[in-house]
Amino acid sequence: QVQLVESGGGSVQAGGSLRLSCAGSGYTYSTYSMAWFRQAPGKEREGVAAIDRDGSTTYSDSVKGRFTISQDKAKTALYLQMNSLKPEDTAMYYCAADPYPLRGSWPASDFGYWGQGTQVTVSS
């Protein structure tokens, strides 16, 4: 049973930083592609950053240069370092996993396993 648990969300002022963590269990970490998604009220869930099974990374244009996705295979953990946060980054952030390589634009529908989410609120 794959389980993902996010932590590290909170409230921060614009320009600040947060580091999200996702602890995974029940699967062989290195054989899964992983991603962070976010969803703001009234909006669709959008991909923020993803890391493929070979360790390559990809980011949405809205966070490129400000966010960094990384993983710690020894601890089965995924991270999202978020710097220079903006009010428009406010959303619920979700960790997701999939046993296949990333495909195309890696839509949310490609990921079969999800955490419960952690809230990030950025005030101006």
Side-chain angles (χ1 to χ4, degrees):
Q1 183 76 13
V2 175
Q3 290 188 326
L4 302 171
V5 180
E6 302 96 334
S7 61
S11 297
V12 65
Q13 289 191 329
S17 297
L18 283 173
R19 188 190 195 210
L20 305 184
S21 298
C22 173
S25 62
Y27 63 103
T28 303
Y29 192 68
S30 60
T31 65
Y32 277 62
S33 56
M34 307 288 295
W36 288 98
F37 286 79
R38 67 186 181 188
Q39 188 166 20
K43 295 188 177 181
E44 292 188 357
R45 190 167 296 190
E46 64 168 342
V48 174
I51 187 163
D52 212 335
R53 302 191 304 181
D54 63 359
S56 58
T57 59
T58 183
Y59 298 89
S60 68
D61 288 342
S62 61
V63 307
K64 198 172 296 182
R66 299 188 298 122
F67 291 10
T68 302
I69 188 172
S70 61
Q71 59 189 18
D72 180 343
K73 293 184 177 180
K75 298 182 178 179
T76 316
L78 182 73
Y79 305 102
L80 184 68
Q81 178 66 44
M82 305 185 296
N83 298 328
S84 302
L85 282 161
K86 304 176 181 180
E88 51 263 44
D89 294 319
T90 295
M92 184 72 78
Y93 282 72
Y94 298 90
C95 171
D98 187 68
Y100 299 99
L102 295 177
R103 300 178 291 280
S105 60
W106 44 282
S109 57
D110 279 0
F111 291 82
Y113 303 99
W114 293 84
Q116 82 291 347
T118 185
Q119 178 67 38
V120 171
T121 302
V122 184
S123 58
S124 57

